[in-house]
């Protein structure tokens, strides 16, 4: 079963890269994020989306860590320039159904991203509120199930869809 999870994740990443690479018309978007937390855990997150209309589209989410993998996809819709919602269905290791959703709300001065997941291995949530302190750096607070509340920081590479973030719980 673990090999089938790897196949789903690889297909999701390839699909993501295809969508964002073909997004010369500004319809595709994505990022790759590496995370390291104070408890020594690390993971790779890959996100891609493709707009089908001006406000709505589809997304792909993939998470890979040493002991856990998941991939899911679904529709997302921007209600306006300050609010986006998404819901998706997919699979997690070891081959269980996973359902997730998210809400992003923000502007140039502050933003919040909240994600939740259910089914499979059980409920999970993560919410991050952050503010920019420079063109490439944002800091804020994070709350995540099983880890608690802590500080969040991230660095976005200019002109590349790559982000490195860290959380201290």
């Amino acid at each position: 079963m673990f090999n089938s999870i790897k196949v789903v994740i690889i297909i999701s990443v390839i699909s993501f890269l295809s969508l964002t690479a073909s997004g010369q018309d500004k319809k595709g978007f994505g990022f790759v994020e590496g995370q390291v937390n104070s408890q020594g855990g690390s993971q790779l997150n890959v996100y891609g989306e493709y707009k089908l209309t001006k406000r709505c589209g589809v997304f792909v989410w993939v998470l890979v860590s040493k002991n856990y993998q998941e991939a899911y996809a679904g529709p997302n819709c921007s209600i306006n320039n300050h609010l986006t919602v998404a819901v998706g269905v997919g699979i997690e290791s070891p081959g269980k159904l996973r359902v997730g959703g998210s809400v992003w709300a923000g502007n140039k001065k502050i933003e919040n991203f909240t994600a939740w997941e259910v089914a499979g291995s059980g409920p999970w949530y993560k919410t991050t509120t952050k503010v920019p302190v420079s063109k490439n750096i944002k800091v804020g607070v994070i709350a995540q199930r099983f880890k608690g509340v802590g500080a969040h920081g991230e660095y976005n590479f200019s002109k590349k869809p790559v982000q490195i973030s860290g959380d201290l719980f």
Side-chain angles (χ1 to χ4, degrees), residues 69-144:
Q69 300 82 37
E70 70 176 7
Y72 57 88
N76 63 356
C77 192
S78 297
I79 308 304
N80 56 43
N81 290 338
H82 304 289
L83 182 64
T84 301
V85 297
V87 64
V89 173
I91 192 168
E92 69 176 5
S93 59
K96 295 180 180 179
L97 176 71
R98 195 75 175 152
V99 178
S102 65
V103 176
W104 176 89
N107 55 40
K108 292 181 181 180
K109 296 180 181 179
I110 189 169
E111 66 182 276
N112 175 273
F113 180 77
T114 299
W116 54 265
E117 298 174 354
V118 295
S121 58
W124 176 89
Y125 67 85
K126 178 179 179 180
T127 185
T128 307
T129 300
K130 52 194 170 185
V131 295
V133 294
S134 74
K135 180 181 176 183
N136 299 61
I137 298 172
K138 294 180 183 178
V139 297
V141 63
I142 182 171
Q144 184 173 331

